[in-house]
Amino acid sequence: MASFLSGVISGLFCVVLGIGCLLFAKQTPADGCSLWLRRLMDTKSWSDDDDNHIDINDMKSDTFLSTRREEHADEEDMRSSAQTKQRTFHEHDDVFKDVHSWSTKKLREALRTLEGELQRREREFRKIEISSRPDVTPAGGARFKYVHKHTYATGDPKAAAYFVASYFGGWCNHEPGHGKQRTHCNDTAFEEPMTWNAYFPPSLEQPLGFSIHSVKNPHKLPAKAPMNETELGLLVEKWRGNFSQTGRFDQFMDNHLGLVFDSLDPLVEKWQRDGVPFICRSWCCGPGFEQWPDRCPFGPSSDTDFCEQGCYVEVPHGIILEALCGMENYKASRKCLTKVGPHQLKSFDLCSDN
């Protein structure tokens, strides 16, 4: 099935691109293909959006950024101005012909060029969005760049790392040394320090990836004294119990890390399959929520309302991770979390323990 779909996609791509050979072929088909390939290599000049026809260079201008900050007050004027400068494929509707005459090598080169240009533009859009926000640099002059890692103390770093890798889509290995602990302490009265990492791949929003660092170090205070990190985590885990059944959101759960995903359904299916306790909460309230429509703590939500929604899972031992999705608006939040029932998806109520 995968190879069939790949063939279909490749075929469609070939049909679309190949029309360019005939349009550009003034003398021979080969000349047309050469001209069209050169046109592909100049992808930086292509328009960014078939609806707006805004060139990426136009988007860097102060006029464009100012217009965006004013929430598109003069949207039609901006669009009209940008269209006078755009270079788009609309003037070449018959460009893609005879792509079947291209070699496989040329098609792959064209595809790589298109993919590379799309990635470049996505990065550029992200830079423009960030640069248009006010006060992005603190008074001290230090500019925030990205999140490198988050570290947790736990009684079982290995179990924590493997849990995160299994149920949140990352992978793990021993750290440092990728399999061997390099730290050996002379004081043998305590266990050796142990560290494990769970890793997440790079993304457009987090270009260098991300790691969750789990540590157990009995050589640090309070050592073996009561209420050390290992003992505290186990006590919280035992006291909390199966919170899928109780439906409670306790005080300790507010100490957590939030990871954003495009969809939570694949994660929820894994949790449900393996009996992993979890609960889901949202700052919105609408159809599909236990409190809707008469008991919404903050009133019913509209489709365009901002919606922070996430599911909470316990990592060994006593650690909480939150998986979020649909941060754009309420409508998006309902589309990315469909595998939970009303008893598990509730709107936050700060006046109760739900």
Side-chain angles (χ1 to χ4, degrees), residues 165-204:
S166 298
Y167 294 110
F168 286 85
W171 73 94
C172 66
N173 60 17
H174 225 165
E175 193 284 326
H178 290 206
K180 295 181 180 179
Q181 291 290 339
R182 295 179 179 179
T183 302
H184 298 286
C185 303
N186 293 328
D187 187 353
T188 58
F190 300 99
E191 297 177 62
E192 295 282 18
M194 178 183 293
T195 61
W196 280 74
N197 276 7
Y199 298 94
F200 292 89
S203 66
L204 179 63

Side-chain angles (χ1 to χ4, degrees), residues 92-340:
H92 300 305
D93 287 337
D94 296 327
V95 163
F96 305 102
K97 289 182 178 179
D98 279 356
V99 75
H100 58 271
S101 66
W102 288 26
S103 68
T104 300
K105 180 179 179 181
K106 285 185 177 181
L107 287 173
R108 287 175 176 169
E109 289 176 352
L111 181 58
R112 284 195 296 267
T113 301
L114 291 170
E115 290 177 340
E117 178 61 16
L118 180 59
Q119 292 174 6
R120 183 192 70 80
R121 293 189 182 200
E122 288 175 341
R123 291 193 297 268
E124 195 68 26
F125 272 112
R126 185 64 60 183
K127 291 178 182 177
I128 292 170
E129 179 186 1
I130 292 173
S131 65
S132 65
R133 297 173 184 170
D135 301 326
V136 294
T137 303
R143 181 177 63 86
F144 173 77
K145 296 181 68 176
Y146 59 90
V147 179
H148 167 57
K149 69 176 181 179
H150 188 90
T151 300
Y152 286 105
T154 176
D156 195 339
K158 181 177 180 180
Y162 271 99
F163 184 95
V164 171
S166 298
Y167 294 110
F168 286 85
W171 73 94
C172 66
N173 60 17
H174 225 165
E175 193 284 326
H178 290 206
K180 295 181 180 179
Q181 291 290 339
R182 295 179 179 179
T183 302
H184 298 286
C185 303
N186 293 328
D187 187 353
T188 58
F190 300 99
E191 297 177 62
E192 295 282 18
M194 178 183 293
T195 61
W196 280 74
N197 276 7
Y199 298 94
F200 292 89
S203 66
L204 179 63
E205 298 81 0
Q206 188 76 27
L208 298 182
F210 179 74
S211 66
I212 296 178
H213 187 57
S214 299
V215 181
K216 179 181 180 180
N217 191 351
H219 292 263
K220 295 184 180 296
L221 293 176
K224 292 184 177 181
M227 300 303 290
N228 61 32
E229 178 56 35
T230 297
E231 183 176 311
L232 180 61
L234 291 171
L235 284 172
V236 170
E237 185 178 65
K238 182 179 180 180
W239 169 82
R240 178 176 290 137
N242 188 335
F243 56 101
S244 277
Q245 296 178 356
T246 65
R248 287 198 299 259
F249 189 101
D250 60 68
Q251 292 180 5
F252 300 102
M253 295 175 73
D254 275 320
N255 185 22
H256 65 263
L257 172 68
L259 303 174
V260 180
F261 296 84
D262 56 355
S263 173
L264 297 191
D265 284 345
L267 303 183
V268 169
E269 288 178 335
K270 289 183 180 180
W271 305 337
Q272 293 172 335
R273 178 197 66 200
D274 294 345
V276 175
F278 72 95
I279 56 174
C280 302
R281 293 292 183 269
S282 175
W283 291 103
C284 295
C285 186
F289 285 75
E290 185 183 65
Q291 301 106 312
W292 189 84
D294 301 324
R295 295 184 293 113
C296 293
F298 303 99
S301 302
S302 68
D303 285 350
T304 58
D305 287 345
F306 170 76
C307 190
E308 184 176 338
Q309 166 188 269
C311 296
Y312 299 81
V313 177
E314 185 178 58
V315 177
H317 292 285
I319 297 169
I320 295 295
L321 284 187
E322 179 187 12
L324 303 103
C325 73
M327 304 284 282
E328 299 87 350
N329 51 54
Y330 171 75
K331 186 176 182 180
S333 74
R334 300 303 297 125
K335 288 183 178 180
C336 70
L337 179 59
T338 66
K339 302 295 184 179
V340 297

Side-chain angles (χ1 to χ4, degrees), residues 10-22 29 33 96-104 107:
S10 299
L12 290 175
F13 180 75
C14 291
V15 170
V16 173
L17 292 182
I19 300 173
C21 289
L22 290 184
C33 287
F96 305 102
K97 289 182 178 179
D98 279 356
V99 75
H100 58 271
S101 66
W102 288 26
S103 68
T104 300
L107 287 173

